[in-house]
Amino acid sequence: MKTLIIDPKISGISGDMFISALIDLTDDIDLLCELTSTINNLKNCKKFEVNIKEEKINGIVVKKLYMNIIEDRFHRPEDLKDAVKEVSNNLNLSKRAKNIICNIIDDLISAEKKLHKTDFHLHEVASLDTVFDVVGSVMLLEKNGFLNGKIYSTPPVLGGGYVSMEHGILSVPAPATLEILCKHGIKYSNPPYATKFEHTTPTGIAVLSNVVDEIVDNFPPMTPIKVGYGGGSKILKEVPNILRVIEGKINKNIEKNMVVLETNVDDVSGEIIGNLFEKLLNEGAKEVFVVNGIGKKNRPTNIISVITNYAKSEKLAKMLMEETGTLGVRIKEIDRIKAERIEKTHFININGKEFKFNVKISCIDDKIINMKPEYEDAKKIAEELKIPLRKVLKMLDNEITCIAK
């Protein structure tokens, strides 16, 4: 199983450090070029340039991002949400990736809202670089198959001293960072060095909280494959201001510490169950499914099953009870064998026009067991050409077969 470890206990995490580290790990610069181009099409963007440079920090070679932004900053939360939604849709991200992106943005906005209550406007997250950091992080994780594997993180270092903000000079961590830590129950670590610097930013912790499956003090057992390093903007004497990410592989594709939550409901409407589906998946459930059956007193019943990791099981069990009114939830601990899944982009010429489509590739022990085109991409091609979807899917399947050969 594909595994990623994020290691912010060296010098914390920010959005640009995370993207830099992922680029160093994957060398997937083309994706960032596509993201940058999409952001430049936003109405409030006058200029958005990103340069990726290789530099040395305390003798360690890292990737660093440099941005040149001319913009009309966001003031209302709705404006930021609309921009993120527009960019995500134009990049053909999956529904799951879009949900994660929305959750990250909601965390950032909710933190501001809790601090200011009513009539508030956006502060530190009001720039286009927030759109870049959030969408770029999730996009790189999805396109390289990490969202379908297991993502760990060590406890982030928050920093110390004071930070200058629109609110004035405040102690580290910033208020928004602290709110997000509280919401997700993320534990942090204290550095073994003196620091007067904000090591973990609100955007960094919001991304971390929504993509990580488990916070661990030590690296889990796995076979490491590759390491990527991202550099922060400030040079520190005491410690290298870097974030490292490690790609690894857990043998035999066995995913441990998984939980099945299950409950029977015979007095809940289809609308409530449909809404529950969305909420559970948005909160990190791996799978949700419903089976019809016969329950007590020979009544028709719905058996709702949720597969999740152990860390999120209590939260999702409470959600099941709150949303359906059920009096109990059964919990079963399981392991599961899971194929590695990655996405690759390909092109096809149909009726003299070139179309881009993503291919989902499933592997076990580096052996490909299945390749299929992304349904949403096929649907868009069919709609544009006004031809049946089944014909498009057949053409894409044929193209994939040729590629595989």
Side-chain angles (χ1 to χ4, degrees):
M1 180 180 63
K2 200 163 192 174
T3 304
L4 182 72
I5 299 174
I6 307 168
D7 192 20
K9 70 178 179 182
I10 301 171
S11 191
I13 182 171
S14 63
D16 63 315
M17 289 173 74
F18 188 41
I19 288 182
S20 299
L22 287 175
I23 287 296
D24 192 43
L25 182 74
T26 65
D27 201 31
D28 217 340
I29 296 176
D30 289 345
L31 284 178
L32 285 196
C33 293
E34 188 177 355
L35 173 59
T36 301
S37 177
T38 306
I39 291 176
N40 270 294
N41 291 327
L42 293 173
K43 291 180 180 179
N44 66 317
C45 180
K46 297 177 181 178
K47 184 178 183 181
F48 191 89
E49 290 182 349
V50 176
N51 291 313
I52 304 166
K53 296 184 179 180
E54 194 169 79
E55 299 182 5
K56 278 190 176 182
I57 296 180
N58 290 34
I60 299 173
V61 178
V62 305
K63 291 290 194 303
K64 281 185 69 172
L65 291 183
Y66 291 89
M67 296 186 186
N68 183 10
I69 306 174
I70 302 175
E71 63 178 334
D72 295 323
R73 289 169 67 86
F74 302 109
H75 291 286
R76 301 184 309 147
E78 293 77 13
D79 297 333
L80 175 59
K81 284 186 173 183
D82 289 343
V84 166
K85 185 177 180 180
E86 181 180 339
V87 170
S88 300
N89 288 336
N90 289 337
L91 291 170
N92 294 323
L93 297 177
S94 70
K95 187 175 182 180
R96 181 186 177 194
K98 290 176 184 177
N99 285 337
I100 294 172
I101 290 168
C102 287
N103 289 342
I104 295 169
I105 294 297
D106 284 344
D107 278 354
L108 291 168
I109 292 173
S110 297
E112 290 277 7
K113 186 175 182 180
K114 188 169 182 182
L115 292 169
H116 303 288
K117 301 300 181 184
T118 58
D119 299 324
F120 74 96
H121 66 275
L122 298 175
H123 291 271
E124 274 64 39
V125 297
S127 174
L128 287 169
D129 64 355
T130 300
V131 179
F132 178 84
D133 289 344
V134 173
V135 177
S137 296
V138 178
M139 177 180 65
L140 285 166
L141 290 172
E142 177 177 59
K143 298 300 184 181
N144 287 281
F146 293 116
L147 288 185
N148 291 317
K150 184 89 170 181
I151 302 179
Y152 296 92
S153 175
T154 57
V157 167
L158 302 184
Y162 298 87
V163 59
S164 180
M165 309 171 66
E166 289 189 29
H167 309 289
I169 297 175
L170 296 171
S171 61
V172 173
T177 300
L178 196 55
E179 290 294 338
I180 296 168
L181 285 167
C182 291
K183 177 179 178 180
H184 290 276
I186 300 292
K187 66 178 179 179
Y188 58 88
S189 63
N190 294 314
Y193 52 85
T195 180
K196 295 181 179 180
F197 175 66
E198 181 189 29
H199 287 273
T200 293
T201 66
T203 301
I205 198 62
V207 171
L208 186 78
S209 301
N210 284 281
V211 303
V212 166
D213 294 302
E214 189 176 349
I215 303 291
V216 293
D217 292 313
N218 301 301
F219 287 9
M222 70 171 193
T223 303
I225 297 172
K226 191 178 179 182
V227 183
Y229 294 90
S233 58
K234 191 165 184 177
I235 303 300
L236 306 175
K237 292 181 180 180
E238 300 89 351
V239 64
N241 188 18
I242 62 171
L243 172 72
R244 66 179 176 182
V245 292
I246 304 96
E247 178 183 348
K249 183 178 179 181
I250 295 178
N251 294 332
K252 298 181 181 179
N253 300 299
I254 295 179
E255 195 169 7
K256 293 185 175 292
N257 299 321
M258 300 298 294
V259 171
V260 176
L261 308 175
E262 194 175 83
T263 189
N264 294 18
V265 292
D266 58 12
D267 56 354
V268 177
S269 69
E271 291 87 352
I272 290 176
I273 292 176
N275 180 64
L276 177 62
F277 251 80
E278 289 291 324
K279 294 191 72 171
L280 288 166
L281 291 171
N282 286 346
E283 289 297 328
K286 301 288 187 180
E287 294 180 37
V288 182
F289 53 95
V290 177
V291 177
N292 295 324
I294 300 296
K296 61 183 180 181
K297 299 182 181 179
N298 297 322
R299 296 175 186 167
T301 187
N302 288 309
I303 306 168
I304 304 174
S305 300
V306 181
I307 299 178
T308 183
N309 56 51
Y310 185 81
K312 294 180 180 177
S313 60
E314 184 177 352
K315 180 179 181 180
L316 297 186
K318 289 179 180 178
M319 182 179 290
L320 272 172
M321 298 180 77
E322 290 169 354
E323 293 291 329
T324 66
T326 186
L327 300 179
V329 175
R330 297 181 292 278
I331 301 176
K332 306 173 187 176
E333 294 188 14
I334 61 168
D335 296 336
R336 65 174 183 171
I337 297 177
K338 184 178 178 183
E340 294 181 27
R341 285 173 283 181
I342 60 174
E343 273 193 12
K344 289 189 176 181
T345 301
H346 293 284
F347 295 86
I348 187 171
N349 191 296
I350 304 176
N351 296 342
K353 188 172 183 180
E354 190 174 64
F355 294 93
K356 180 174 71 172
F357 68 100
N358 287 326
V359 178
K360 293 180 178 178
I361 304 171
S362 302
C363 305
I364 293 181
D365 294 332
D366 298 324
K367 181 180 179 181
I368 295 176
I369 59 172
N370 192 30
M371 299 174 68
K372 62 183 295 186
E374 172 59 53
Y375 167 78
E376 293 296 335
D377 294 341
K379 183 180 176 183
K380 286 182 180 179
I381 295 172
E383 290 173 350
E384 184 169 339
L385 295 177
K386 294 181 171 46
I387 60 177
L389 175 61
R390 62 184 179 85
K391 289 187 177 181
V392 174
L393 286 170
K394 187 174 181 179
M395 285 187 278
L396 297 184
D397 284 335
N398 290 338
E399 184 71 15
I400 291 171
T401 301
C402 294
I403 293 168
K405 291 180 180 178

